[in-house]
Amino acid sequence: MSAVADTHAQDHHHHGPAKGFSRWLLTTNHKDIGTMYLIFSFAMFLLGGTMAMVIRAELFQPGLQIVEPEFFNQMTTMHGLIMVFGAVMPAFVGLANWMLPLMIGAPDMALPRMNNWSFWLLPCAFLILVSTLFMSGGAPNFGWTFYAPLSTTYGPPSTTFFIFAVHIMGISSIMGAINVIATILNLRAPGMTLMKMPLFVWTWLITAFLLIAVMPVLAGVVTMMLMDINFGTSFFDASGGGDPVLFQHVFWFFGHPEVYIMILPAFGAVSHIIPAFSRKPLFGYASMVYAVGAIALLSFVVWAHHMFTVGIPIAGQLFFMYATMLIAVPTGVKVFNWVATMFRGALSFEAPMLFAVAFVILFTIGGFSGLMLAIAPADFQYHDTYFVVAHFHYVLVPGAIFGIFASAYFWLPKWTGHMYDETLAKTHFWLSFIGMNLAFFPMHFLGLAGMPRRIPDYALQFADFNMVSSIGAFMFGATQLLFLLIVVKCVKGGEKAAAKPWDGAEGLEWTLPSPPPYHSFTTPPEVK
Amino acid sequence: MRVHAKRAGALLGGLLFPAWSMADWTLNMAPGVTGTSNEIFSLHMTILWICVVIGIVVFGVMFWSIFAHRKSQGHKPANFHENTVVEILWTIIPFVILVIMAIPATATLVDMYDTAESDVDIKVTGYQWRWKYDYLDEEFGYFSNLATSKDEIYNRLDKSENYLLDVDNPLVIPVGKKVRLLVTANDVIHSWWVPAFGVKKDAIPGFINETWTRVDEPGIYRGQCTELCGKDHGFMPVVVKAVPEAEYNEWVAEQQAAAERERELTEKDWTLEELMERGEQTYATTCAACHQADGSGAPPAFPALKGSQVVLEDMDAHLDIVVNGVSGTAMQAFGGQLSEVDLAAVITYERNAWGNNTGEMVTPKEVFEYKNQE
Ligand code: HEM
Ligand SMILES: [Cu+2]
Ligand SMILES: [Cu+2]
């Protein structure tokens, strides 16, 4: 028995990856799975981005030109859902798969078969979700927040498929999170205590706990919807004694931690990149860890800041306002730490650093508008206007997406063994940076001037900034094809990358050759 | 081909001229015309300036590092990585700033929640996709529909000044009085917002939310629905006309008289032509959003009425659907929303328009009897 197991293990080590499609379908290798997650998420980013282009094309000028309102609502809904669940979350899981074992000195993820399963559920979920576009009655059209009863009593027939897709995504995320926790807690190299873990590992550990805490809540709320739609219950139907506001409480109990799920891993990655290109250790490592912990805990008690106008009692209103404002403190600490890391370093600005610096600046702007939104009386004016759209795109696009781009450029040499084309990458950065600000900054003005969100047509006083915004959006959208080109070029060839291509970088991942062997650390490294 | 070319031309022309000549580059929130909206505006400006100052300090340090501490300038990195005093300071100072912010915010909020001692009570109900205003003490009410034509929306006509922000019947309120609004909805969640008042409240089925306003300057104030409520969410504006008290009282008396006349109309003997004429109007404002002006609907979501069995055959079934709606669908119970006259007119219209030439009619009296049979 043991002899058989031995030869099998030997086989595995010498032969490397299987050939052909079964390599990808059956793989349990963290790098292959990571790659698949990243490719999948980029495909979803392009799909969700295409929908954003449809939205921006319709909003280019007043009047209805390109799409009808029903289809417009399907576009905003699918854009939001695909970006959140298809682009951002899987990208971070892909980065986790690739980098966690390399960073903690492990051979692979702790639960490799589950890893395979949690990836392959995703394409299934999104196939179902996207297929709703072709169903009679159209795709979900009630916003990514799918408030009842618009999504239950008044939803299109495809809503049941949407619910099924959300369930599958949820299972995938929970399994991914369990895997991350098991890997980090069990497979760290000897000597790597918790407080010596790289920050990307720390932020992912906390993110994984958030996922496990809130994905079941999401599953709960969509199940209640399913019952209302198909089995005659009235959880959210007022005419049957139900409560539409209950929906919002449950949804946002999931939804607010969800927004931190989309940003915490980016915090971690940026905390590697800024020190590397500042050639100086991260300022305030311990306070960074505590800040992330504090943000994660607070994120459970602020959900009703999305509901200031639904008429919750004043005591609740005040509690959620104060709690939300409090989040600014640990978030501020993080920003100050990044700036202090850059202060008196020896800075250079390769593409990962450019994206990371833009991350800090633009995320902070999103944080400022977040603080403004937290002031409940003022939120009565901001709520559900383009000011909110501006706010969350400032935290999601230069936050989550720029964090992902920064990570991709930072670790591409490690992944592929080649350097990417720096000139093209810098072009990608500058076009994205300009396009993004042109697209989203004017949305602040639109919101303050009174333009509601989720409308296919608008009054004439909003015309000029909408046009500017659309031009910026087209520019940002088109630029992302450049990223595809850069990555393909880098995978195919290019200057050979050293084991540690960035002179200021720190961490176990740089002790392996580029690209690393198929099985990462077969003997655990020693951490002093 | 020619049509396409024309459209492209119209697009290009429309692109630069009418829109831009109307537009303005408003950057900031307007202070508004009520005490609440002014307080909100000053909160907004305070927090904005605080953010700007913090931003200048933080980004200032950062840009200074970017310019002065570059490797290409030969700067050698320092090696510090913590400083307890600094870290405690930049935790405490933001906290203090937040407390300073929270004080006026709390005061404003308490004020906004004080709906006691109102002079006028109005119930605001959100429907897919229009608003209904009921004057509770004066006992009359009416719907407020978008007044912008489809031709403007689909770019066949030039857009008027208040494009998408115009209604047939605005909400009328007296200046200088505390107006209490009881906000609810009939179908899905809507949200009633007038930026100039600083009032935004969700209209939720099964809930009655309270809010209030006191407007001191007469004028016309415009806003929109701000909660996604389906297809025409972008097409249900809010328009409020604030008038001096005397004018308001006169207007109320007129409305009450009109309501009385409406009740009398029920008794009148209507001809098919009269009903058709009135029905066409009612249909356009109330039903066309879903069933379309030509009765073709938008299947499968909204059935066609042209050639529909319900419409062509059994009158009772037709009455039942329009009066009681179909629960669980977007087809609402119009029995409570429309007067007997309008119900009779719209049903008669549906049975005789678009080639549904049944020649049948139903009178307001018959509708009244139908509603009260039980
Ligand atoms: C390619 C650049 C992007 C553009 C031009 C864009 C544009 C827009 C616009 C105009 C809206 C508002 C639609 C409306 O309210 O009518 C919107 C909504 C939204 N976007 Fe984006 N977006 C982009 C990227 C992203 C990314 C990367 C994310 C997430 C990670 C994202 C997440 C969302 C969400 C969650 C909504 C709300 C959807 C809803 O109202 O239900 N977007 N986007
Ligand atoms: Cu939140
Ligand atoms: Cu609405």
Side-chain angles (χ1 to χ4, degrees):
Chain A
M1 182 61 206
S2 80
V4 175
D6 264 346
T7 44
H8 177 77
Q10 287 290 324
D11 251 29
H12 220 71
H13 278 270
H14 290 291
H15 288 217
K19 293 275 174 295
F21 185 64
S22 63
R23 162 174 179 187
W24 301 103
L25 188 64
L26 303 177
T27 183
T28 53
N29 181 281
H30 73 100
K31 302 192 190 75
D32 285 354
I33 295 175
T35 304
M36 290 195 296
Y37 263 112
L38 290 171
I39 293 173
F40 174 81
S41 96
F42 189 67
M44 287 296 122
F45 179 61
L46 292 185
L47 181 62
T50 309
M51 292 170 177
M53 297 304 113
V54 174
I55 298 172
R56 282 315 326 171
E58 179 54 58
L59 294 175
F60 188 70
Q61 50 171 341
L64 293 177
Q65 289 88 16
I66 298 168
V67 295
E68 289 295 310
E70 300 92 56
F71 190 68
F72 183 89
N73 288 346
Q74 297 174 30
M75 285 292 107
T76 55
T77 307
M78 295 291 271
H79 162 72
L81 289 169
I82 288 178
M83 285 299 193
V84 168
F85 295 102
V88 175
M89 290 170 68
F92 283 128
V93 182
L95 290 174
N97 260 292
W98 252 103
M99 299 318 298
L100 291 182
L102 296 184
M103 286 180 165
I104 62 174
D108 204 305
M109 295 294 279
L111 308 163
R113 282 173 207 279
M114 193 161 91
N115 206 6
N116 170 294
W117 183 221
S118 59
F119 171 75
W120 280 109
L121 281 178
L122 271 188
C124 303
F126 279 86
L127 209 64
I128 296 172
L129 185 64
V130 173
S131 73
T132 57
L133 275 168
F134 306 99
M135 292 180 186
S136 105
N141 55 10
F142 29 64
W144 89 278
T145 51
F146 51 97
Y147 279 10
L150 186 62
S151 61
T152 52
T153 315
Y154 296 83
S158 61
T159 309
T160 303
F161 289 88
F162 153 79
I163 292 172
F164 190 41
V166 170
H167 270 305
I168 302 178
M169 287 170 209
I171 294 172
S172 160
S173 295
I174 291 173
M175 293 201 307
I178 291 174
N179 209 347
V180 165
I181 294 174
T183 307
I184 296 173
L185 294 186
N186 294 312
L187 298 186
R188 270 171 292 134
M192 183 178 281
T193 57
L194 284 179
M195 286 313 272
K196 278 188 188 158
M197 289 196 317
L199 262 170
F200 184 71
V201 180
W202 254 118
T203 52
W204 241 114
L205 181 65
I206 292 171
T207 304
F209 278 108
L210 286 182
L211 275 168
I212 291 186
V214 302
M215 290 314 278
V217 178
L218 175 67
V221 75
V222 294
T223 307
M224 287 152 96
M225 283 171 64
L226 186 77
M227 305 285 282
D228 271 12
I229 295 170
N230 297 303
F231 304 111
T233 58
S234 296
F235 287 109
F236 308 131
D237 178 4
S239 65
D243 180 351
V245 176
L246 172 69
F247 175 92
Q248 299 184 23
H249 282 294
V250 184
F251 177 84
W252 285 113
F253 188 82
F254 148 79
H256 193 81
E258 168 67 21
V259 306
Y260 287 101
I261 290 168
M262 291 193 279
I263 199 67
L264 294 186
F267 283 176
V270 165
S271 305
H272 290 245
I273 295 165
I274 289 183
F277 294 94
S278 303
R279 295 165 183 79
K280 187 164 157 278
L282 180 69
F283 188 88
Y285 170 89
S287 68
M288 284 299 219
V289 173
Y290 298 137
V292 175
I295 291 174
L297 285 179
L298 281 172
S299 79
F300 285 107
V301 293
V302 298
W303 75 88
H305 64 206
H306 298 274
M307 302 167 57
F308 282 144
T309 60
V310 306
I312 34 182
I314 188 158
Q317 202 89 334
L318 290 173
F319 171 81
F320 285 107
M321 171 168 87
Y322 299 150
T324 306
M325 290 168 80
L326 215 52
I327 290 196
V329 174
T331 311
V333 166
K334 300 199 69 84
V335 172
F336 301 144
N337 281 342
W338 288 319
V339 173
T341 307
M342 291 168 68
F343 187 68
R344 294 184 47 210
L347 278 61
S348 63
F349 295 93
E350 288 83 350
M353 183 64 164
L354 286 175
F355 275 106
V357 172
F359 170 98
V360 176
I361 298 174
L362 300 177
F363 176 81
T364 304
I365 294 179
F368 285 146
S369 56
L371 186 59
M372 295 170 76
L373 287 159
I375 309 290
D379 184 66
F380 278 87
Q381 294 286 47
Y382 309 138
H383 179 66
D384 263 344
T385 68
Y386 259 79
F387 191 79
V388 176
V389 180
H391 157 70
F392 67 70
H393 281 90
Y394 262 85
V395 291
L396 286 174
V397 178
I401 300 286
F402 278 20
I404 293 164
F405 283 144
S407 314
Y409 286 121
F410 190 50
W411 287 307
L412 257 180
K414 173 64 42 191
W415 299 338
T416 62
H418 305 129
M419 297 306 287
Y420 58 84
D421 185 326
E422 189 64 52
T423 319
L424 282 185
K426 282 192 170 138
T427 314
H428 174 217
F429 169 76
W430 283 109
L431 290 178
S432 296
F433 181 83
I434 296 168
M436 184 260 132
N437 282 294
L438 213 52
F440 298 116
F441 209 81
M443 290 186 186
H444 291 113
F445 307 141
L446 286 171
L448 293 176
M451 177 169 163
R453 70 191 274 207
R454 296 168 168 168
I455 56 174
D457 192 6
Y458 47 81
L460 299 181
Q461 71 262 35
F462 308 128
D464 16 38
F465 279 126
N466 267 297
M467 194 176 283
V468 173
S469 171
S470 289
I471 293 171
F474 298 147
M475 180 172 166
F476 181 85
T479 304
Q480 304 320 314
L481 297 174
L482 191 57
F483 180 69
L484 183 63
L485 177 82
I486 295 168
V487 174
V488 170
K489 234 180 114 187
C490 178
V491 172
K492 286 216 167 130
E495 188 195 325
K496 284 265 167 291
K500 186 173 145 185
W502 313 117
D503 57 332
E506 300 275 351
L508 290 177
E509 73 263 37
W510 309 110
T511 62
L512 289 176
S514 302
Y518 196 57
H519 294 282
S520 302
F521 286 95
T522 40
T523 43
E526 194 74 39
V527 179
K528 280 164 283 293
Chain B
M1 211 50 240
R2 289 245 315 276
V3 180
H4 280 288
K6 255 194 201 157
R7 277 201 193 144
L11 210 96
L12 212 73
L15 197 136
L16 294 171
F17 303 110
W20 285 66
S21 60
M22 296 299 255
D24 49 13
W25 299 85
T26 310
L27 296 180
N28 198 3
M29 186 188 281
V33 294
T34 64
T36 309
S37 70
N38 278 290
E39 280 176 49
I40 292 178
F41 178 75
S42 75
L43 271 177
H44 161 74
M45 290 315 288
T46 317
I47 181 87
L48 181 65
W49 282 116
I50 290 178
C51 289
V52 168
V53 171
I54 299 175
I56 289 174
V57 173
V58 174
F59 297 150
V61 174
M62 184 166 174
F63 284 121
W64 190 59
S65 307
I66 289 177
F67 287 113
H69 303 154
R70 263 181 298 171
K71 190 182 167 219
S72 56
Q73 310 260 308
H75 193 269
K76 291 274 170 293
N79 200 33
F80 62 88
H81 57 85
E82 56 192 358
N83 182 327
T84 316
V85 177
V86 172
E87 289 178 60
I88 289 177
L89 272 183
W90 71 35
T91 311
I92 289 179
I93 294 174
F95 185 79
V96 173
I97 296 177
L98 290 178
V99 172
I100 296 173
M101 266 321 297
I103 294 168
T106 306
T108 305
L109 201 63
V110 169
D111 190 32
M112 288 169 82
Y113 264 69
D114 175 17
T115 52
E117 287 167 31
S118 62
D119 303 310
V120 181
D121 291 343
I122 303 172
K123 183 169 148 212
V124 176
T125 313
Y127 287 82
Q128 275 181 327
W129 293 278
R130 55 229 179 92
W131 294 100
K132 185 171 190 214
Y133 302 118
D134 286 299
Y135 289 70
L136 295 178
D137 302 323
E138 292 79 7
E139 298 188 330
F140 67 87
Y142 55 88
F143 280 99
S144 176
N145 298 287
L146 175 71
T148 302
S149 75
K150 284 263 185 264
D151 286 328
E152 286 180 49
I153 295 173
Y154 285 97
N155 312 305
R156 293 184 291 258
L157 279 181
D158 281 351
K159 300 190 186 345
S160 50
E161 187 187 343
N162 292 315
Y163 177 67
L164 296 188
L165 296 180
D166 217 4
V167 296
D168 51 1
N169 306 305
L171 174 70
V172 179
I173 57 169
V175 294
K177 295 277 179 193
K178 185 163 183 175
V179 178
R180 187 165 66 126
L181 300 164
L182 302 158
V183 187
T184 183
N186 181 57
D187 34 50
V188 300
I189 303 176
H190 305 262
S191 188
W192 194 87
W193 182 35
V194 180
F197 300 171
V199 171
K200 180 185 287 156
K201 207 77 185 176
D202 288 2
I204 305 173
F207 283 74
I208 295 183
N209 272 329
E210 282 184 63
T211 184
W212 67 275
T213 189
R214 178 183 282 121
V215 184
D216 291 323
E217 280 171 53
I220 295 183
Y221 303 102
R222 296 171 201 277
Q224 281 176 273
C225 174
T226 47
E227 181 63 59
L228 179 61
C229 54
K231 176 168 82 70
D232 284 351
H233 162 57
F235 305 91
M236 52 181 292
V238 173
V239 179
V240 182
K241 199 170 148 192
V243 297
E245 200 183 348
E247 195 181 331
Y248 173 76
N249 290 335
E250 219 170 278
W251 176 84
V252 168
E254 248 169 57
Q255 294 299 308
Q256 284 168 324
E260 186 51 37
R261 276 199 303 281
E262 188 75 15
R263 280 188 277 276
E264 280 163 17
L265 276 181
T266 317
E267 300 301 318
K268 171 179 144 63
D269 288 317
W270 288 77
T271 67
L272 181 66
E273 285 67 37
E274 285 170 336
L275 283 174
M276 282 293 285
E277 197 180 313
R278 189 171 174 119
E280 185 170 3
Q281 280 172 14
T282 313
Y283 184 84
T285 50
T286 322
C287 322
C290 297
H291 295 292
Q292 302 305 316
D294 61 358
S296 62
F302 308 117
L305 300 180
K306 181 179 170 182
S308 146
Q309 280 196 346
V310 176
V311 175
L312 291 174
E313 290 164 20
D314 188 4
M315 173 72 86
D316 265 0
H318 194 176
L319 269 167
D320 176 47
I321 279 197
V322 180
V323 171
N324 301 319
V326 182
S327 77
T329 75
M331 182 63 201
Q332 310 145 15
F334 286 97
Q337 299 183 30
L338 298 176
S339 68
E340 279 75 27
V341 177
D342 282 327
L343 285 167
V346 79
I347 291 174
T348 305
Y349 176 72
E350 286 176 352
R351 295 181 89 81
N352 294 284
W354 331 294
N356 285 356
N357 299 320
T358 61
E360 294 168 348
M361 63 179 268
V362 56
T363 62
K365 265 186 272 186
E366 284 166 338
V367 173
F368 182 79
E369 278 155 26
Y370 177 85
K371 277 168 86 175
N372 293 293
Q373 59 189 211
E374 300 304 63

